[in-house]
Amino acid sequence: MADIVLDKVTKKYPDGTTAVHEIDLEIADGEFIILVGPSGCGKSTTLNMIAGLEDISSGELRIAGERVNDKAPKDRDIAMVFQSYALYPNMTVGENMAFPLKLAKLPKAEIDKKVAEAARVLELTEYLGRKPANLSGGQRQRVAMGRAIVRSPKAFLMDEPLSNLDAKLRVQMRTQVSRLQKQLNTTTVYVTHDQTEAMTLGDRVVVMRGGYIQQVGDPQTLYDNPVNLFVAGFIGSPSMNFLPATVEESVLRTPLGDLPLNDRLRRSLSGADAPRQLIVGIRPEHFEDAALIEEHQRAKGFEFTMPVDLVESMGSDKYVYFTVEGERAVSADLEDLTADAGGADLPPQDNLVTRLSAESRVRDGVDARVWMNLDKIHLFDPGNGHNITLNEGQDAGVATP
Amino acid sequence: MSVLSREKAASGAEAAPRAGLSEGKKQERRLGWLLCAPAAFVMVAVTAYPILYSIWLSLQRYDLKFPENREFIGLANYVTVLSNDYWWTAFGVTMLITVISVSVELVLGMGLALIMHRTIIGRGLVRTSALIPYGIVTVVAAFSWRYAWTPGTGYLANLFSPEGAPLTERASALAIIIFAEIWKTTPFMALLLMAGLALVPDDLLKAASMDGASWWQRFTKVMLPVMKPAILVALLFRTLDAFRIFDNIYVLSAGANETSSVSMIAYNNLMKGLNLGIGSTMSVLIFLTVAIIAFIFVKLFGTAAPGSSDDEGRR
Ligand SMILES: Nc1ncnc2c1ncn2[C@@H]1O[C@H](COP(=O)(O)OP(=O)(O)OP(=O)(O)O)[C@@H](O)[C@H]1O
Ligand SMILES: [Mg+2]
């Protein structure tokens, strides 16, 4: 077990692509950390640099306090689980798991004991004699995990280990991975482009984009206080609604109507460089059927009336969709998000998604009166994407290019 | 390759129970045979007929110098050939050349394949230049070696044995023949092995290095097992090829000083001696040896055309 420190780590490929730009990251001993971001943002590259499979172009990587930039993968004592599982096809399940131990020249009895133990934990005992080709996807995945855990390495690296499984199995395995990590308490770096996996698994989540870290924090912080439009849109499902807004006298003009400026918003806008054109972000659960709002709440919010497009009743609550007329929020961050089909399921830009209580009576095609919580809205600068409503002094792990 | 897989398919069809096939299955099978028929017909016409004819000739006393003595004599020719030292010397020489050249080619070819697989810069150039020897006509290459080893005028002869005449001594002549053979066909070996290298997923090698394998361990424990089908096919092709060695010997030593291969003496008996009976017997024996080698590879080592097998090695 060990902590891992990335100190201004950069990766420049021979063809000139800079895949990772001066990343700073401290991963504590025993921590489960997730690297998440759209395709091509440098997650795998970062992981491979930690593994030693890719050279580090500049910066320093320390594992357990020791600089390991120039160490070969086999001398770093780290195990890795690949998306393709990378099981040795010519070896049985047992031999696959025993392989790293054999290479480490452990005595046979000890190898057998460790393999049997790992197989028991992963419920693979009855498959020990089988070849990987004769296993199901989930079983292969577990063998790959087994091969990693038998060694009791300093850290686990996992590159999208669950993305080849079907949805149901993925959820099951997610729990198992999480439980296993807690049990072993081994530092784990886990790469995914699935924000749900990121939110549910990690102690902390690192959101990456284009080779830069956008924000590091625990899932709740990322959800509640995204530092910029990109993180706001990437984290959460269904994702945050974004609306264009203009600052007028004492209101915020949006396609939903003129939002009154409360103290919090006024303070955010008082900054010298606060722009007049803004993007308002608000999560679906911060809307409510106006009929269900208690009087003392009502003043904190803003109400509007709009025809309902569609109601999806989930039992516990209702997703209600509206169409917003007028112009759309425009920003490079949002374009990045839309371009990334694999990431958050961003709704079409003219769509407003709200999550109302199950008791709500709103119906398709009928005008609904909806309340939105002004305390929860975020204001973003469309130019650089920054969240200007971030509470001061809040440790949100800001790291922007 | 296609011959192997066809054999396999045919034997598979034989094994399936004839009875109880649905109408559709029967239709499908008939279509299968119909589709194979043209190829099978050509195969029979160009291979089966000559083979059967030479077997027929091998059972006769038939010397074109004495055509009136033609007579059916059963297996007497086989007894003559198999009890003849001349045949067994040639057989030994052929085996020696085959084993040494194929083993050396395997090692060199693997090295070359690794280089060609790994090079990123100037990939095309590296591959093209590596393949040049294979592109040169064997006889032409053999002549260039012969001149190079000719005492007095050849640069290699002057360099290595200014005194003697290497092509006229058995050991050195064989060495030169083997060398010429290796020089010529290593690229082919490399090409086949490179196809095998492409079968090894990158992730597998990465996983092995994470598991603590050194370069050599990655090569022997991961790459070789995964490549095994391709290696066996390459070995099979090259062994069969090498066993029929003819042109290099013909040009370099003309079979003098007991450097003849079996193909050489079969040729000498048939074409020079005009003894159709004995010559055909030798041809049939060569054919049988080649068939046995192929059988050993296919049945014992499980060689199969790459891609045709449902071998668990690949996903
Ligand atoms: N060997 C390479 N040579 C040059 N560029 C590369 C190489 N490998 C990756 N890249 C580039 O580096 C960037 C980051 O790639 P990386 O594989 O780390 O992305 P990722 O975040 O893992 O994406 P995904 O979710 O699709 O796996 C990409 O733009 C990619 O094109
Ligand atoms: Mg990746």
Side-chain angles (χ1 to χ4, degrees):
Chain A
M1 272 183 264
D3 61 325
I4 300 172
V5 178
L6 285 83
D7 188 357
K8 296 220 182 324
V9 168
T10 297
K11 175 70 197 184
K12 202 167 173 174
Y13 280 109
D15 67 356
T17 333
T18 307
V20 172
H21 302 260
E22 300 207 341
I23 279 193
D24 286 316
L25 187 61
E26 292 188 14
I27 304 165
D29 186 11
E31 189 174 25
F32 196 160
I33 200 153
I34 313 279
L35 302 184
V36 70
S39 192
C41 71
K43 306 177 298 285
S44 298
T45 305
T46 309
L47 202 71
N48 288 342
M49 283 194 289
I50 300 176
L53 296 170
E54 291 285 357
D55 291 332
I56 294 171
S57 309
S58 72
E60 192 169 89
L61 174 70
R62 291 187 292 272
I63 298 176
E66 186 191 357
R67 182 190 149 99
V68 294
N69 284 38
D70 305 318
K71 272 197 174 181
K74 70 190 185 76
D75 301 321
R76 295 190 187 190
D77 190 20
I78 285 179
M80 186 151 169
V81 178
F82 293 83
Q83 179 176 3
S84 62
Y85 314 137
L87 301 178
Y88 309 117
N90 52 311
M91 304 182 197
T92 63
V93 168
E95 286 163 350
N96 261 285
M97 295 206 279
F99 189 63
L101 302 176
K102 265 192 198 140
L103 292 176
K105 299 211 166 56
L106 258 62
K108 175 104 173 53
E110 197 173 334
I111 294 180
D112 289 348
K113 205 180 102 214
K114 289 195 173 194
V115 169
E117 168 65 13
R120 192 187 57 74
V121 172
L122 293 164
E123 294 163 30
L124 285 170
T125 310
E126 55 188 304
Y127 307 112
L128 280 177
R130 283 215 204 156
K131 292 273 176 74
N134 306 329
L135 296 178
S136 72
Q139 290 161 347
R140 284 182 203 168
Q141 209 284 329
R142 296 209 299 270
V143 178
M145 298 287 294
R147 194 173 61 188
I149 67 174
V150 280
R151 284 166 53 194
S152 324
K154 283 190 189 143
F156 295 130
L157 307 179
M158 306 191 187
D159 195 348
E160 311 204 20
L162 305 184
S163 56
N164 279 350
L165 302 177
D166 65 59
K168 204 166 165 196
L169 204 53
R170 187 150 59 208
V171 175
Q172 267 176 30
M173 282 307 297
R174 200 163 75 199
T175 337
Q176 201 166 9
V177 168
S178 175
R179 199 177 314 133
L180 204 62
Q181 201 274 342
K182 294 252 162 15
Q183 229 170 51
L184 300 168
N185 198 25
T186 304
T187 316
T188 303
V189 186
Y190 185 109
V191 165
T192 177
H193 60 248
D194 176 357
Q195 65 90 25
T196 321
E197 241 170 57
M199 295 297 279
T200 48
L201 275 175
D203 295 329
R204 278 196 304 157
V205 176
V206 180
V207 182
M208 293 183 67
R209 169 194 177 200
Y212 293 95
I213 291 185
Q214 301 287 295
Q215 189 171 8
V216 183
D218 61 274
Q220 201 61 49
T221 308
L222 257 56
Y223 191 81
D224 292 339
N225 299 298
V227 294
N228 60 24
L229 270 173
F230 182 81
V231 177
F234 193 80
I235 301 288
S237 172
S239 76
M240 195 182 268
N241 298 292
F242 296 109
L243 302 163
T246 327
V247 184
E248 298 292 336
E249 293 301 290
S250 59
V251 294
L252 208 51
R253 185 147 296 156
T254 74
L256 297 181
D258 290 348
L259 310 185
L261 290 176
N262 59 19
D263 284 352
R264 185 178 76 102
L265 298 178
R266 228 183 277 277
R267 219 177 315 122
S268 312
L269 288 171
S270 65
D273 52 352
R276 297 186 56 76
Q277 291 290 332
L278 292 167
I279 291 176
V280 171
I282 179 153
R283 295 207 180 270
E285 65 269 28
H286 297 137
F287 292 89
E288 187 50 284
D289 187 337
L292 302 172
I293 292 295
E294 294 177 25
E295 276 315 312
H296 69 276
Q297 284 270 33
R298 204 176 287 275
K300 283 204 275 180
F302 168 77
E303 285 176 37
F304 59 93
T305 307
M306 254 198 197
V308 173
D309 266 355
L310 181 70
V311 178
E312 279 175 3
S313 192
M314 311 294 285
S316 56
D317 36 38
K318 285 193 166 93
Y319 283 110
V320 182
Y321 298 85
F322 299 91
T323 302
V324 181
E325 307 289 340
E327 52 183 317
R328 301 161 175 203
V330 181
S331 160
D333 287 38
L334 293 180
E335 275 161 29
D336 272 14
L337 280 171
T338 330
D340 173 46
D345 33 345
L346 211 64
Q349 280 275 300
D350 52 358
N351 220 340
L352 185 74
V353 185
T354 66
R355 200 174 96 196
L356 311 183
S357 303
E359 299 89 67
S360 168
R361 296 282 174 87
V362 298
R363 275 179 298 123
D364 292 5
V366 179
D367 275 5
R369 185 137 185 95
V370 180
W371 173 90
M372 86 192 224
N373 188 346
L374 286 180
D375 283 347
K376 298 290 186 183
I377 71 172
H378 299 277
L379 299 181
F380 299 95
D381 181 339
N384 54 19
H386 287 184
N387 183 349
I388 61 172
T389 37
L390 259 198
N391 300 353
E392 283 108 39
Q394 187 139 41
D395 179 23
V398 187
T400 28
Chain B
M1 238 173 278
S2 59
V3 180
L4 284 180
S5 49
R6 196 174 309 138
E7 268 171 16
K8 211 170 172 178
S11 66
E14 228 89 299
R18 293 255 157 214
L21 282 181
S22 70
E23 204 44 41
K25 269 268 184 325
K26 271 187 201 153
Q27 279 282 341
E28 203 171 286
R29 173 163 302 173
R30 217 177 46 234
L31 179 67
W33 282 113
L34 279 176
L35 288 174
C36 290
F41 178 77
V42 173
M43 282 277 291
V44 168
V46 301
T47 65
Y49 172 72
I51 290 172
L52 291 176
Y53 188 56
S54 45
I55 291 175
W56 169 238
L57 285 177
S58 76
L59 299 175
Q60 303 177 35
R61 179 187 303 136
Y62 192 7
D63 190 334
L64 283 184
K65 284 172 296 198
F66 313 101
E68 64 280 8
N69 289 351
R70 183 171 179 178
E71 187 186 350
F72 185 85
I73 52 167
L75 293 175
N77 278 334
Y78 288 86
V79 175
T80 313
V81 171
L82 290 176
S83 59
N84 187 321
D85 284 349
Y86 191 50
W87 163 263
W88 286 112
T89 311
F91 191 84
V93 166
T94 314
M95 274 299 181
L96 181 86
I97 294 175
T98 304
V99 169
I100 297 185
S101 64
V102 172
S103 332
V104 175
E105 278 165 27
L106 178 64
V107 175
L108 291 182
M110 183 64 86
L112 200 58
L114 284 172
I115 292 172
M116 292 197 283
H117 189 66
R118 288 279 161 230
T119 38
I120 301 162
I121 310 147
R123 194 173 214 155
L125 190 70
V126 172
R127 290 188 182 182
T128 313
S129 50
L131 284 174
I132 286 175
Y134 192 63
I136 296 175
V137 181
T138 314
V139 175
V140 174
F143 267 109
S144 80
W145 289 119
R146 189 171 115 186
Y147 294 137
W149 287 104
T150 303
T153 52
Y155 66 103
L156 289 173
N158 291 341
L159 202 63
F160 290 105
S161 76
E163 305 298 304
L167 282 173
T168 61
E169 280 158 46
R170 191 177 188 218
S172 52
L174 281 179
I176 291 169
I177 289 166
I178 292 175
F179 177 80
E181 188 75 2
I182 292 171
W183 176 84
K184 163 95 185 138
T185 41
T186 299
F188 177 65
M189 191 69 136
L191 211 61
L192 288 180
L193 291 177
M194 206 166 66
L197 276 179
L199 288 178
V200 185
D202 257 359
D203 271 1
L204 219 53
L205 297 173
K206 286 186 188 170
S209 29
M210 293 307 294
D211 282 345
S214 63
W215 184 89
W216 182 246
Q217 285 166 325
R218 286 205 295 279
F219 181 66
T220 55
K221 303 226 155 110
V222 179
M223 278 168 109
L224 287 186
V226 176
M227 283 178 69
K228 192 179 132 198
I231 295 177
L232 283 174
V233 167
L235 280 181
L236 173 62
F237 280 18
R238 275 304 305 141
T239 308
L240 297 187
D241 235 24
F243 191 80
R244 293 171 308 181
I245 181 170
F246 180 83
D247 22 18
N248 263 324
I249 299 179
Y250 186 81
V251 173
L252 283 168
S253 71
N257 304 305
E258 303 192 321
T259 53
S260 284
S261 67
V262 283
S263 299
M264 280 289 298
I265 61 168
Y267 168 84
N268 285 342
N269 275 287
L270 268 174
M271 299 303 168
K272 288 202 182 143
L274 298 178
N275 191 332
L276 296 189
I278 294 288
S280 298
T281 306
M282 289 176 168
S283 308
V284 172
L285 286 172
I286 294 171
F287 172 74
L288 285 179
T289 318
V290 164
I292 290 170
I293 294 175
F295 181 83
I296 291 174
F297 267 97
V298 173
K299 285 294 170 205
L300 266 53
F301 299 155
T303 311
S308 76
S309 70
D310 45 4
D311 185 57
E312 50 195 336
R314 250 161 287 125
R315 278 172 286 160

